[in-house]
Protein backbone atom coordinates (compact mmCIF):
# COMPACT_ATOMS: atom_id res chain seq x y z
CA UNK A 1 0.00 0.00 0.00
CA UNK A 2 1.15 3.53 -0.79
CA UNK A 3 2.66 5.18 2.33
CA UNK A 4 0.39 8.22 1.96
CA UNK A 5 -2.68 5.99 1.63
CA UNK A 6 -1.58 4.00 4.70
CA UNK A 7 -1.11 7.24 6.65
CA UNK A 8 -4.59 8.46 5.67
CA UNK A 9 -6.28 5.16 6.60
CA UNK A 10 -4.50 4.87 9.98
CA UNK A 11 -5.26 8.52 10.79
CA UNK A 12 -8.91 7.96 9.86
CA UNK A 13 -9.03 4.88 12.11
CA UNK A 14 -7.68 6.84 15.06
CA UNK A 15 -10.00 9.77 14.31
CA UNK A 16 -13.13 7.60 13.96
CA UNK A 17 -12.38 5.67 17.15
CA UNK A 18 -11.69 8.89 19.09
CA UNK A 19 -14.90 10.54 17.86
CA UNK A 20 -17.03 7.56 18.88
CA UNK A 21 -15.55 6.93 22.33
CA UNK A 22 -15.60 10.64 23.26
CA UNK A 23 -19.03 11.60 21.88
CA UNK A 24 -22.19 12.01 23.89
CA UNK A 25 -24.49 12.52 20.87
CA UNK A 26 -25.85 9.74 18.70
CA UNK A 27 -25.06 11.54 15.43
CA UNK A 28 -21.40 11.99 16.36
CA UNK A 29 -21.08 8.38 17.51
CA UNK A 30 -22.59 7.20 14.22
CA UNK A 31 -20.19 9.46 12.29
CA UNK A 32 -17.18 7.92 14.07
CA UNK A 33 -18.40 4.40 13.28
CA UNK A 34 -18.79 5.29 9.59
CA UNK A 35 -15.29 6.80 9.42
CA UNK A 36 -13.91 3.59 10.92
CA UNK A 37 -15.75 1.43 8.40
CA UNK A 38 -14.55 3.45 5.41
CA UNK A 39 -10.96 3.57 6.73
CA UNK A 40 -10.56 -0.19 7.22
CA UNK A 41 -11.97 -1.20 3.81
CA UNK A 42 -8.80 -0.35 1.77
CA UNK A 43 -6.70 -2.31 4.28
CA UNK A 44 -8.84 -5.45 3.80
CA UNK A 45 -8.85 -5.26 0.00
CA UNK A 46 -5.25 -4.15 -0.58
CA UNK A 47 -4.11 -7.57 -1.89
CA UNK A 48 -6.72 -7.49 -4.71
CA UNK A 49 -7.26 -11.22 -4.27
CA UNK A 50 -10.83 -12.46 -4.92
CA UNK A 51 -11.01 -13.72 -1.32
CA UNK A 52 -10.02 -10.26 -0.05
CA UNK A 53 -12.59 -8.53 -2.28
CA UNK A 54 -15.27 -10.93 -1.04
CA UNK A 55 -14.31 -10.21 2.57
CA UNK A 56 -14.42 -6.46 1.87
CA UNK A 57 -17.93 -6.61 0.39
CA UNK A 58 -19.20 -8.76 3.28
CA UNK A 59 -17.69 -6.41 5.82
CA UNK A 60 -19.10 -3.30 4.15
CA UNK A 61 -22.65 -4.72 3.85
CA UNK A 62 -22.75 -5.89 7.48
CA UNK A 63 -21.28 -2.69 8.91
CA UNK A 64 -23.53 -0.46 6.78
CA UNK A 65 -26.60 -2.40 7.94
CA UNK A 66 -25.52 -2.19 11.58
CA UNK A 67 -24.79 1.56 11.32
CA UNK A 68 -28.18 2.22 9.70
CA UNK A 69 -29.87 0.24 12.50
CA UNK A 70 -28.02 2.29 15.14
CA UNK A 71 -29.13 5.52 13.46
CA UNK A 72 -32.72 4.24 13.20
CA UNK A 73 -32.69 3.22 16.88
CA UNK A 74 -31.42 6.64 17.99
CA UNK A 75 -34.02 8.42 15.83
CA UNK A 76 -36.84 6.40 17.41
CA UNK A 77 -35.55 7.22 20.88
CA UNK A 78 -35.18 10.93 20.01
CA UNK A 79 -38.67 11.01 18.48
CA UNK A 80 -40.28 9.57 21.63
CA UNK A 81 -38.12 11.07 24.40
CA UNK A 82 -36.72 14.18 22.68
CA UNK A 83 -33.17 13.19 23.77
CA UNK A 84 -30.13 12.64 21.52
CA UNK A 85 -27.93 11.83 24.52
CA UNK A 86 -26.41 8.33 24.32
CA UNK A 87 -26.96 7.67 28.02
CA UNK A 88 -30.67 8.60 27.82
CA UNK A 89 -31.87 5.47 26.01
CA UNK A 90 -35.36 4.93 27.44
CA UNK A 91 -37.44 3.36 24.66
CA UNK A 92 -37.72 -0.46 24.68
CA UNK A 93 -37.76 -0.80 20.89
CA UNK A 94 -34.66 1.38 20.62
CA UNK A 95 -32.86 -0.76 23.21
CA UNK A 96 -33.58 -3.99 21.32
CA UNK A 97 -32.59 -2.46 17.95
CA UNK A 98 -29.39 -1.05 19.43
CA UNK A 99 -28.47 -4.40 21.02
CA UNK A 100 -28.96 -6.16 17.66
CA UNK A 101 -26.94 -3.51 15.80
CA UNK A 102 -24.01 -3.59 18.24
CA UNK A 103 -24.05 -7.40 18.19
CA UNK A 104 -23.87 -7.21 14.40
CA UNK A 105 -20.90 -4.83 14.55
CA UNK A 106 -19.05 -6.93 17.11
CA UNK A 107 -19.86 -10.33 15.63
CA UNK A 108 -21.85 -11.65 18.58
CA UNK A 109 -24.10 -14.66 18.07
CA UNK A 110 -26.49 -14.85 16.16
CA UNK A 111 -24.88 -12.12 13.97
CA UNK A 112 -21.45 -13.78 13.86
CA UNK A 113 -21.42 -15.34 10.37
CA UNK A 114 -19.46 -12.55 8.68
CA UNK A 115 -16.58 -12.30 11.13
CA UNK A 116 -14.62 -15.55 10.47
CA UNK A 117 -14.95 -15.11 6.70
CA UNK A 118 -13.76 -11.49 6.79
CA UNK A 119 -10.82 -12.37 9.04
CA UNK A 120 -9.85 -15.26 6.77
CA UNK A 121 -9.77 -12.96 3.73
CA UNK A 122 -7.70 -10.26 5.44
CA UNK A 123 -3.92 -9.97 5.97
CA UNK A 124 -2.67 -10.74 9.47
CA UNK A 125 -2.10 -7.08 10.41
CA UNK A 126 -5.58 -6.09 9.19
CA UNK A 127 -7.07 -9.09 11.02
CA UNK A 128 -5.39 -7.78 14.18
CA UNK A 129 -7.08 -4.39 13.70
CA UNK A 130 -10.45 -6.03 13.04
CA UNK A 131 -10.14 -8.13 16.21
CA UNK A 132 -9.04 -5.31 18.53
CA UNK A 133 -9.25 -1.66 17.47
CA UNK A 134 -12.46 -1.99 15.45
CA UNK A 135 -14.27 -3.50 18.44
CA UNK A 136 -13.50 -0.60 20.78
CA UNK A 137 -16.16 1.88 19.50
CA UNK A 138 -19.10 -0.61 19.66
CA UNK A 139 -18.03 -1.80 23.11
CA UNK A 140 -17.85 1.85 24.23
CA UNK A 141 -21.44 2.40 23.06
CA UNK A 142 -22.49 -0.73 24.96
CA UNK A 143 -20.76 0.57 28.09
CA UNK A 144 -22.50 3.96 27.82
CA UNK A 145 -25.93 2.37 27.37
CA UNK A 146 -25.45 -0.61 29.72
CA UNK A 147 -27.96 0.70 32.28
CA UNK A 148 -30.74 0.69 29.64
CA UNK A 149 -30.10 -2.70 28.03
CA UNK A 150 -32.04 -5.93 28.57
CA UNK A 151 -30.07 -8.25 30.94
CA UNK A 152 -31.71 -11.58 29.90
CA UNK A 153 -31.16 -10.84 26.20
CA UNK A 154 -27.50 -9.95 26.72
CA UNK A 155 -26.92 -13.02 28.91
CA UNK A 156 -28.50 -15.30 26.30
CA UNK A 157 -26.38 -13.80 23.51
CA UNK A 158 -23.26 -14.12 25.68
CA UNK A 159 -23.85 -17.81 26.44
CA UNK A 160 -24.61 -18.51 22.77
CA UNK A 161 -21.42 -16.69 21.70
CA UNK A 162 -19.25 -18.59 24.18
CA UNK A 163 -20.77 -21.92 23.10
CA UNK A 164 -20.54 -21.25 19.39
CA UNK A 165 -17.02 -19.81 19.61
CA UNK A 166 -15.90 -23.02 21.29
CA UNK A 167 -17.77 -25.48 19.06
CA UNK A 168 -16.94 -23.88 15.70
CA UNK A 169 -13.26 -23.52 16.52
CA UNK A 170 -12.76 -27.24 17.08
CA UNK A 171 -12.55 -28.38 13.44
CA UNK A 172 -10.71 -25.42 11.89
CA UNK A 173 -7.32 -25.68 10.22
CA UNK A 174 -6.92 -21.98 9.34
CA UNK A 175 -5.39 -20.04 12.23
CA UNK A 176 -7.23 -16.79 11.41
CA UNK A 177 -10.58 -18.59 11.62
CA UNK A 178 -9.58 -20.16 14.94
CA UNK A 179 -8.70 -16.71 16.31
CA UNK A 180 -12.00 -15.34 14.93
CA UNK A 181 -14.02 -17.90 16.89
CA UNK A 182 -11.77 -17.20 19.88
CA UNK A 183 -12.76 -13.53 19.57
CA UNK A 184 -16.47 -14.47 19.49
CA UNK A 185 -16.01 -16.56 22.63
CA UNK A 186 -14.22 -13.74 24.48
CA UNK A 187 -16.93 -11.28 23.43
CA UNK A 188 -19.41 -13.56 25.15
CA UNK A 189 -17.47 -13.17 28.42
CA UNK A 190 -17.40 -9.39 28.02
CA UNK A 191 -21.14 -9.19 27.29
CA UNK A 192 -22.10 -11.33 30.28
CA UNK A 193 -20.75 -8.90 32.83
CA UNK A 194 -21.25 -5.55 31.07
CA UNK A 195 -24.44 -4.63 32.98
CA UNK A 196 -23.24 -5.67 36.43
CA UNK A 197 -19.57 -4.56 36.31
CA UNK A 198 -18.67 -2.47 33.23
CA UNK A 199 -15.11 -2.00 34.50
CA UNK A 200 -14.56 -5.76 34.22
CA UNK A 201 -15.69 -5.64 30.58
CA UNK A 202 -13.11 -2.94 29.90
CA UNK A 203 -10.40 -4.92 31.74
CA UNK A 204 -11.27 -8.07 29.78
CA UNK A 205 -11.13 -6.18 26.49
CA UNK A 206 -7.75 -4.61 27.30
CA UNK A 207 -6.21 -7.95 28.28
CA UNK A 208 -7.75 -9.64 25.23
CA UNK A 209 -6.24 -6.91 23.03
CA UNK A 210 -2.84 -7.46 24.64
CA UNK A 211 -2.91 -11.24 24.14
CA UNK A 212 -4.32 -11.14 20.60
CA UNK A 213 -1.78 -8.50 19.52
CA UNK A 214 1.06 -10.72 20.73
CA UNK A 215 -0.29 -13.75 18.86
CA UNK A 216 -0.97 -11.92 15.59
CA UNK A 217 2.43 -10.20 15.61
CA UNK A 218 4.15 -13.53 16.27
CA UNK A 219 2.25 -15.20 13.42
CA UNK A 220 3.05 -12.28 11.14
CA UNK A 221 6.77 -12.52 11.97
CA UNK A 222 6.88 -16.24 11.13
CA UNK A 223 4.43 -15.81 8.20
CA UNK A 224 2.12 -18.53 9.54
CA UNK A 225 -1.56 -18.83 8.60
CA UNK A 226 -2.28 -22.58 8.69
CA UNK A 227 -1.73 -25.44 11.14
CA UNK A 228 0.42 -27.27 8.58
CA UNK A 229 2.75 -24.24 8.42
CA UNK A 230 2.67 -23.83 12.20
CA UNK A 231 4.26 -27.29 12.61
CA UNK A 232 7.35 -26.09 10.71
CA UNK A 233 7.94 -22.80 12.51
CA UNK A 234 9.90 -24.36 15.37
CA UNK A 235 12.82 -25.00 13.00
CA UNK A 236 12.95 -21.33 11.95
CA UNK A 237 12.15 -19.41 15.15
CA UNK A 238 12.25 -21.71 18.22
CA UNK A 239 12.21 -18.93 20.82
CA UNK A 240 9.32 -17.14 19.13
CA UNK A 241 7.48 -20.45 18.95
CA UNK A 242 7.92 -21.03 22.68
CA UNK A 243 6.62 -17.52 23.41
CA UNK A 244 3.65 -18.15 21.11
CA UNK A 245 2.85 -21.36 23.00
CA UNK A 246 2.78 -19.53 26.35
CA UNK A 247 0.64 -16.72 24.93
CA UNK A 248 -1.87 -19.22 23.53
CA UNK A 249 -2.14 -20.87 26.95
CA UNK A 250 -2.65 -17.44 28.48
CA UNK A 251 -5.42 -16.65 25.97
CA UNK A 252 -7.01 -19.97 26.93
CA UNK A 253 -7.29 -18.70 30.51
CA UNK A 254 -5.06 -21.20 32.32
CA UNK A 255 -4.39 -20.08 35.94
CA UNK A 256 -0.66 -19.29 35.96
CA UNK A 257 -1.01 -16.76 33.14
CA UNK A 258 -2.53 -13.31 32.58
CA UNK A 259 -5.58 -14.60 30.70
CA UNK A 260 -6.92 -16.31 33.82
CA UNK A 261 -7.50 -12.95 35.57
CA UNK A 262 -10.59 -11.68 33.65
CA UNK A 263 -12.36 -15.06 33.76
CA UNK A 264 -11.67 -15.36 37.47
CA UNK A 265 -13.04 -11.89 38.20
CA UNK A 266 -16.10 -12.37 35.95
CA UNK A 267 -17.03 -15.68 37.58
CA UNK A 268 -16.57 -14.09 41.01
CA UNK A 269 -18.83 -11.14 40.08
CA UNK A 270 -21.50 -13.40 38.55
CA UNK A 271 -21.54 -15.42 41.78
CA UNK A 272 -21.98 -12.21 43.80
CA UNK A 273 -24.93 -11.27 41.56
CA UNK A 274 -26.54 -14.67 42.38
CA UNK A 275 -26.00 -15.87 38.80
CA UNK A 276 -24.17 -19.07 39.74
CA UNK A 277 -25.79 -21.19 36.96
CA UNK A 278 -24.65 -18.68 34.35
CA UNK A 279 -21.12 -18.68 35.79
CA UNK A 280 -21.07 -22.49 35.77
CA UNK A 281 -22.27 -22.66 32.15
CA UNK A 282 -19.69 -20.09 31.02
CA UNK A 283 -16.89 -21.94 32.84
CA UNK A 284 -17.86 -25.26 31.27
CA UNK A 285 -18.18 -23.77 27.79
CA UNK A 286 -14.71 -22.26 28.08
CA UNK A 287 -13.35 -25.82 28.11
CA UNK A 288 -14.29 -26.07 24.42
CA UNK A 289 -12.09 -23.08 23.65
CA UNK A 290 -9.35 -24.53 25.84
CA UNK A 291 -9.34 -27.65 23.65
CA UNK A 292 -8.47 -25.86 20.42
CA UNK A 293 -5.96 -23.60 22.18
CA UNK A 294 -4.21 -26.74 23.44
CA UNK A 295 -4.46 -28.12 19.90
CA UNK A 296 -2.67 -25.04 18.57
CA UNK A 297 -0.04 -25.37 21.31
CA UNK A 298 0.38 -29.06 20.52
CA UNK A 299 0.93 -28.36 16.82
CA UNK A 300 3.27 -25.42 17.40
CA UNK A 301 5.70 -26.72 19.99
CA UNK A 302 5.24 -30.38 20.89
CA UNK A 303 4.80 -32.39 17.68
CA UNK A 304 7.01 -32.94 14.65
CA UNK A 305 5.40 -33.18 11.22
CA UNK A 306 4.92 -36.92 10.50
CA UNK A 307 5.58 -36.58 6.76
CA UNK A 308 6.70 -34.08 4.20
CA UNK A 309 4.45 -31.02 4.09
CA UNK A 310 3.84 -29.21 0.81
CA UNK A 311 5.30 -25.93 2.00
CA UNK A 312 8.18 -23.90 0.62
CA UNK A 313 11.29 -24.23 2.78
CA UNK A 314 12.83 -20.95 3.88
CA UNK A 315 16.59 -21.09 3.48
CA UNK A 316 17.00 -17.72 5.16
CA UNK A 317 14.89 -16.39 7.98
CA UNK A 318 15.00 -12.88 9.33
CA UNK A 319 15.78 -13.28 13.02
CA UNK A 320 15.09 -9.65 13.91
CA UNK A 321 11.93 -10.26 15.90
CA UNK A 322 9.68 -7.28 16.23
CA UNK A 323 10.45 -5.29 19.37
CA UNK A 324 6.75 -5.19 20.23
CA UNK A 325 6.70 -8.98 20.64
CA UNK A 326 9.56 -8.81 23.13
CA UNK A 327 7.56 -6.26 25.17
CA UNK A 328 4.10 -7.83 24.83
CA UNK A 329 5.01 -11.47 25.53
CA UNK A 330 6.03 -10.96 29.21
CA UNK A 331 2.93 -8.81 29.73
CA UNK A 332 0.76 -11.51 28.13
CA UNK A 333 1.99 -14.21 30.48
CA UNK A 334 3.18 -12.65 33.75
CA UNK A 335 0.58 -10.03 34.77
CA UNK A 336 -1.35 -12.30 37.13
CA UNK A 337 0.74 -11.31 40.23
CA UNK A 338 -0.53 -7.73 39.72
CA UNK A 339 -4.15 -8.84 40.22
CA UNK A 340 -4.34 -7.61 43.87
CA UNK A 341 -3.45 -4.10 42.61
CA UNK A 342 -6.17 -4.30 39.94
CA UNK A 343 -8.72 -5.53 42.47
CA UNK A 344 -7.81 -2.69 44.81
CA UNK A 345 -8.24 -0.05 42.09
CA UNK A 346 -11.58 -1.46 40.89
Amino acid sequence: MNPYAKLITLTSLILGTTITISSNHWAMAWTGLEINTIAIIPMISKSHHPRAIEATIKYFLVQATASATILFSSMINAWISGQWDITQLTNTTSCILLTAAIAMKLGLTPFHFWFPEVLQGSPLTTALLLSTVMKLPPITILLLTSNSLNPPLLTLMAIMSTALGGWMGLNQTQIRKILAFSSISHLGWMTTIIIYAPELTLLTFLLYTLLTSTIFLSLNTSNTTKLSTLMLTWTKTPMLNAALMLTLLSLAGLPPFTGFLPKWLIIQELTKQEMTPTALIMALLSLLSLFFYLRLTYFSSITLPPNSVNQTKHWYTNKNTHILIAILTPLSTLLLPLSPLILFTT
Side-chain angles (χ1 to χ4, degrees), residues 67-308:
S67 296
T69 309
I70 290 175
L71 194 59
F72 183 54
S73 167
S74 61
M75 289 175 67
I76 291 177
N77 186 70
W79 183 26
I80 293 175
S81 66
Q83 292 286 337
W84 282 96
D85 194 342
I86 292 181
T87 57
Q88 302 297 322
L89 193 67
T90 55
N91 184 258
T92 306
T93 306
S94 297
C95 291
I96 295 175
L97 283 175
L98 179 72
T99 305
I102 296 297
M104 202 181 301
K105 275 198 166 292
L106 289 173
L108 277 171
T109 308
F111 306 102
H112 65 280
F113 298 100
W114 64 273
F115 189 59
E117 299 296 329
V118 170
L119 228 64
Q120 179 60 30
S122 305
L124 283 170
T125 50
T126 308
L128 170 60
L129 292 175
L130 287 170
S131 301
T132 55
V133 177
M134 297 301 293
K135 294 190 182 301
L136 180 57
I139 287 179
T140 303
I141 294 178
L142 269 186
L143 287 170
L144 291 173
T145 58
S146 59
N147 293 328
S148 307
L149 299 178
N150 188 359
L153 177 62
L154 281 180
T155 303
L156 177 62
M157 293 174 69
I159 292 175
M160 289 171 57
S161 297
T162 310
L164 184 129
W167 278 114
M168 296 296 290
L170 292 178
N171 61 344
Q172 301 295 330
T173 58
Q174 298 289 336
I175 297 178
R176 279 171 291 189
K177 280 195 174 182
I178 292 175
L179 291 175
F181 288 114
S182 163
S183 176
I184 293 172
S185 178
H186 278 85
L187 282 171
W189 283 88
M190 296 179 210
T191 312
T192 310
I193 204 66
I194 193 166
I195 294 178
Y196 311 103
E199 65 278 1
L200 283 186
T201 298
L202 191 58
L203 174 66
T204 307
F205 177 74
L206 292 176
L207 291 180
Y208 167 75
T209 301
L210 172 68
L211 298 172
T212 307
S213 301
T214 309
I215 291 174
F216 271 110
L217 290 174
S218 301
L219 294 174
N220 190 45
T221 302
S222 58
N223 196 20
T224 305
T225 56
K226 294 183 289 187
L227 289 181
S228 57
T229 318
L230 187 64
M231 288 191 296
L232 299 175
T233 55
W234 67 273
T235 58
K236 298 184 292 182
T237 52
M239 293 300 294
L240 184 63
N241 224 34
L244 178 63
M245 179 190 71
L246 294 177
T247 310
L248 284 169
L249 292 177
S250 181
L251 191 63
L254 287 182
F257 301 108
T258 307
F260 174 65
L261 178 60
K263 292 184 178 180
W264 170 31
L265 295 178
I266 288 174
I267 290 175
Q268 184 181 15
E269 185 63 30
L270 287 175
T271 308
K272 288 180 182 177
Q273 297 291 336
E274 298 182 355
M275 297 178 64
T276 308
T278 303
L280 178 62
I281 292 172
M282 297 289 287
L284 291 176
L285 290 175
S286 67
L287 295 177
L288 295 171
S289 302
L290 176 63
F291 180 83
F292 64 73
Y293 288 126
L294 289 176
R295 184 163 165 254
L296 276 175
T297 304
Y298 189 68
F299 273 105
S300 67
S301 301
I302 301 175
T303 62
L304 297 176
N307 48 24
S308 59

